[in-house]
Amino acid sequence: AQKVTQAQTEISVVEKEDVTLDCVYETRDTTYYLFWYKQPPSGELVFLIRRNSFDEQNEISGRYSWNFQKSTSSFNFTITASQVVDSAVYFCALSEAVRGNAGNMLTFGGGTRLMVKP
Amino acid sequence: DAGVTQSPTHLIKTRGQQVTLRCSPISGHKSVSWYQQVLGQGPQFIFQYYEKEERGRGNFPDRFSARQFPNYSSELNVNALLLGDSALYLCASSLLQNTEAFFGQGTRLTVV
């Protein structure tokens, strides 16, 4: 069985601070995919990144960066110089590449609510 | 291009009733998945359809059913509604296996 744990339920920072959202996952599969999604108050989940289990390179996209470490089963997300518009709930998710998984049957973590204060 | 569209956006039903939620995927996407998101929790996987066939089912009772049509749109049906079925129901579409899923804005179902 697969599981995603986001231990931080809520984080509050002041604008321009850096913040890291933690994600720890469990899976028995050797091939899997990890995702981060942002959910603003409107409710729609916005895709941020997808990573496969064979690619441990860290990635940076503007103020966002991701640190994937298979040794600790973690896929952490850092926002540099946070802004008020970053306030949202962030979800980490896992998808196993099992036969018949013709899409992405995602297992989500419980989410981290990020509040960025001006 | 239009994103994933879901209808209706909001719905209020009474316990015991039946409800049908609809989803239109992004043009060209053949995979549709359904998720239930209870307030304050992460989304839970309900169903996945690909090329009109059910490819996955989460841990939900038989009161939940779904189907995918030849144009790849999908419906989620819930029978004998319970108060605990109150949630945001999200539909997602994706192009290929394990590519990123694009979500609709969801249908907020309230059961009273």
Side-chain angles (χ1 to χ4, degrees):
Chain A
Q2 50 189 345
K3 184 179 179 182
V4 177
T5 301
Q6 295 179 255
Q8 306 149 307
T9 55
E10 204 166 286
I11 299 176
S12 181
V13 299
V14 176
E15 205 169 22
K16 296 184 183 176
E17 286 185 8
D18 298 347
V19 58
T20 295
L21 309 182
D22 298 333
C23 173
V24 175
Y25 62 92
E26 296 175 28
T27 177
R28 291 176 293 184
D29 210 350
T30 55
T31 303
Y32 52 89
Y33 299 82
L34 295 164
F35 303 77
W36 274 95
Y37 283 88
K38 174 182 179 180
Q39 188 174 44
S42 63
E44 183 175 355
L45 285 164
V46 178
F47 168 82
L48 296 178
I49 190 172
R50 178 181 73 112
R51 226 24 173 184
N52 73 56
S53 52
F54 298 109
D55 184 0
E56 286 193 73
Q57 278 193 331
N58 292 329
E59 181 158 337
I60 298 175
S61 176
R63 297 185 297 108
Y64 296 170
S65 62
W66 290 269
N67 184 343
F68 176 27
Q69 293 197 343
K70 286 180 76 170
S71 60
T72 56
S73 297
S74 65
F75 186 44
N76 296 336
F77 172 32
T78 297
I79 302 175
T80 303
S82 60
Q83 299 176 2
V84 173
V85 294
D86 295 327
S87 297
V89 181
Y90 290 86
F91 290 98
C92 180
L94 166 70
S95 176
E96 292 179 338
V98 297
R99 183 182 302 179
N101 181 3
N104 31 53
M105 292 178 279
L106 300 169
T107 297
F108 283 86
T112 298
R113 180 177 299 278
L114 174 64
M115 292 176 291
V116 182
K117 300 177 181 178
Chain B
D1 283 344
V4 178
T5 57
Q6 292 186 243
S7 62
T9 54
H10 293 82
L11 202 51
I12 299 175
K13 289 285 189 178
T14 304
R15 275 180 299 174
Q17 285 188 317
Q18 175 265 341
V19 68
T20 298
L21 311 181
R22 296 177 176 82
C23 172
S24 293
I26 292 172
S27 178
H29 285 195
K30 299 180 178 179
S31 176
V32 169
S33 300
W34 288 94
Y35 293 82
Q36 180 196 65
Q37 186 178 19
V38 174
L39 192 62
Q41 299 181 17
Q44 298 288 314
F45 170 73
I46 310 175
F47 285 111
Q48 183 200 62
Y49 277 79
Y50 180 68
E51 288 283 16
K52 302 177 286 295
E53 290 186 5
E54 182 183 302
R55 293 301 186 97
R57 173 186 285 255
N59 188 23
F60 280 82
D62 292 343
R63 299 184 296 108
F64 288 77
S65 63
R67 56 180 175 169
Q68 187 176 32
F69 298 99
N71 66 353
Y72 302 110
S73 66
S74 178
E75 287 182 352
L76 174 69
N77 295 287
V78 187
N79 293 322
L81 285 166
L82 304 174
L83 295 179
D85 295 332
S86 296
L88 179 68
Y89 288 85
L90 294 162
C91 174
S93 77
S94 58
L95 181 62
L96 297 171
Q97 179 173 348
N98 286 318
T99 54
E100 55 267 31
F102 295 89
F103 284 80
Q105 288 192 312
T107 294
R108 187 162 296 282
L109 172 65
T110 302
V111 182
V112 298

